[in-house]
Amino acid sequence: MPPPAASTVPAFDVAAVREDFPILATRVGTHPLIYLDNAASAQKPRAVIDAVSDYYALRHANIHRGVHYLSAEATDAYDQARVTVAKFLNAAEPRECIFVRGATEGINLVASSWGRANLRAGDEILLTTLEHHANIVPWQIAAETVGAKIKVIPINDRGELLLDHLDTLLTPRVKLVAITQVSNALGTVVPVREIIRRAHAAGAVVLVDGAQSVPHLRIDVRELDCDFFAFSGHKLFGPTGIGVLYGKAALLEKLPPYQSGGDMIERVTFEKTTFRGLPERFEAGTPDISGAIGLGAAIRYLDKLGHDALAAHERRLLDHATAAVRAIPDVRLIGEAADKVGVLSFVMDGVHPHDIGTILDSEGIAIRAGHHCAQPLMQRLGITGTARASFAFYNTIEETDRLAAALLKVKKMFG
Ligand SMILES: Cc1ncc(COP(=O)(O)O)c(C=O)c1O
């Protein structure tokens, strides 16, 4: 008999991968750092740190404006980063990928620019209970400006969307659906493909908030058929201050500029200004050149490791951690969707999540405690916050055991 299909599980050497991340050697007092706050921001591999540092050491100049050697080098590196991002998302063309500060700015760009051009009084914007404030507040502001209304797809107690409500919610008044692909607070994977299909059939445009999905799922914006997709570089092992807004070219071409100034214009007179095409029209001023280059390096690094190997390791981590934490008395898991990635949220009877976070920190374990910028979700669940451990592929099974052991200690301290 041949051995079981072990060969279908890609090999993954977590110890070797950890060597790529200098910060993982940090000690917190006498404890080795256990970094379980990856949903807030992921750590950076040497490949990203070196790409940013080499850029400043060897190639820095302003882009697009210079005729000199360094400006051409920097422009080339910046443009290459956009090509890398486009391949990562499977966008049809690099010009559909706009460099922005992060998911927040990407969503604000669409809310402001698309909203101004398309939203009218009486229109509706459809969100979900799972959304991060970054995918709520910009829509509220856009809606208030014109007298449009926000509606919400509800969830069940496990943190899964109740899609039975979708057909009733998707009236002809809904002009836009804005949905997260993965919940930052619960880890729920949202069936965005299905929602996009039904939203399009109802005539609505769809924005996907990919801030939490890009580190865990393979993304294909053409297969999803989303109209807009926003994510942040820093959650994808890249630098802070850089992110991407993908938009279908046909839609972006029709949008008015978001910000204005240098580099996004064709011709300026005091009477009138004409604007450049994509992507420059949405990248006013000097962009985050080093950030884009660092993000390109992060994507190339992930490509080398291979998505399937990372995903299989992360699956093992989440399953192991879930079983270990569930076994602790008086701990209740928050968010038990059938399809989940990366996040383990929980509460412990009689212990405030911040106290859990503080005690774990004294053991070198970094988690997050609070509402996770998802207050409407917390209200729906009847809690004020959770303790959240969030995983990346460089975490180990031993680290999840240390998390569970530390939680048992917390439990004992609070009796
Ligand atoms: C689901 C989700 N959307 C949007 C954001 C905003 O990302 P950023 O602060 O990087 O712009 C976050 C950040 O935590 C998030 O988790």
Side-chain angles (χ1 to χ4, degrees), residues 39-40 101-105 107 131-132 134-135 180 182-184 209-212 232 234-235 372-373 388:
R101 265 195 314 122
T104 300
E105 189 177 36
I107 296 166
E131 300 313 315
H132 186 282
N135 201 26
T180 192
V182 169
S183 154
N184 67 308
D209 174 356
Q212 295 294 339
S232 300
H234 70 97
K235 295 184 199 282
H372 314 299
C373 295
R388 179 188 74 181

Side-chain angles (χ1 to χ4, degrees), residues 19-252:
E19 294 289 314
D20 296 337
F21 291 80
I23 210 167
L24 297 181
T26 300
R27 294 193 74 83
V28 183
T30 56
H31 300 281
L33 168 72
I34 296 180
Y35 188 75
L36 300 177
D37 195 18
N38 295 286
S41 198
Q43 299 300 348
K44 319 303 170 199
R46 180 74 69 194
V48 169
I49 299 165
D50 287 350
V52 172
S53 148
D54 286 354
Y55 164 70
Y56 281 122
L58 305 170
R59 295 205 277 180
H60 170 68
N62 212 331
I63 57 166
H64 293 152
R65 299 169 206 183
V67 289
H68 57 80
Y69 169 76
L70 279 180
S71 180
E73 283 281 296
T75 302
D76 186 48
Y78 184 72
D79 291 347
Q80 272 311 312
R82 197 188 310 277
V83 172
T84 303
V85 165
K87 257 175 63 188
F88 172 71
L89 295 175
N90 196 29
E93 305 171 73
R95 69 192 183 110
E96 295 181 315
C97 300
I98 314 293
F99 282 124
V100 289
R101 265 195 314 122
T104 300
E105 189 177 36
I107 296 166
N108 272 277
L109 192 164
V110 179
S112 160
S113 208
W114 183 93
R116 214 171 345 129
N118 294 283
L119 283 177
R120 301 286 173 267
D123 285 348
E124 292 173 351
I125 298 167
L126 186 56
L127 310 178
T128 82
T129 308
L130 294 172
E131 300 313 315
H132 186 282
H133 297 163
N135 201 26
I136 300 173
V137 186
W139 302 115
Q140 270 173 344
I141 292 174
E144 276 165 19
T145 309
V146 297
K149 209 174 130 189
I150 303 283
K151 292 201 304 190
V152 181
I153 307 173
I155 56 166
N156 62 22
D157 292 341
R158 292 192 301 278
E160 297 162 321
L161 287 189
L162 291 169
L163 289 188
D164 306 353
H165 293 242
L166 196 53
D167 286 334
T168 324
L169 288 166
L170 273 174
T171 65
R173 285 189 299 278
V174 175
K175 293 293 179 301
L176 182 123
V177 179
I179 37 171
T180 192
Q181 192 170 16
V182 169
S183 154
N184 67 308
L186 309 183
T188 307
V189 178
V190 171
V192 289
R193 177 72 200 90
E194 158 84 0
I195 298 171
I196 292 165
R197 190 182 57 73
R198 289 164 70 177
H200 282 170
V205 162
V206 184
L207 174 137
V208 174
D209 174 356
Q212 295 294 339
S213 58
V214 287
H216 304 291
L217 306 180
R218 200 191 287 283
I219 308 297
D220 183 336
V221 289
R222 274 189 284 173
E223 205 266 323
L224 288 178
D225 196 27
C226 54
D227 300 293
F228 299 105
F229 186 100
F231 73 92
S232 300
H234 70 97
K235 295 184 199 282
L236 191 66
F237 314 95
T240 54
I242 189 76
V244 174
L245 174 71
Y246 158 85
K248 286 180 179 165
L251 275 170
L252 287 175

Side-chain angles (χ1 to χ4, degrees), residues 278-347:
L278 301 177
E280 289 84 6
R281 177 209 299 242
F282 293 107
E283 293 182 4
T286 301
D288 184 355
I289 307 165
S290 67
I293 290 168
L295 175 57
I299 292 172
R300 284 195 301 279
Y301 173 79
L302 293 172
D303 266 357
K304 245 184 10 207
L305 293 181
H307 173 81
D308 292 351
L310 302 185
H313 177 68
E314 286 184 20
R315 178 83 263 147
R316 283 192 295 269
L317 280 176
L318 184 60
D319 288 349
H320 189 87
T322 301
V325 171
R326 195 199 297 280
I328 297 167
D330 300 326
V331 163
R332 181 159 60 94
L333 301 187
I334 305 293
E336 297 199 73
D339 197 1
K340 267 187 78 168
V341 279
V343 167
L344 186 59
S345 249
F346 52 91
V347 292

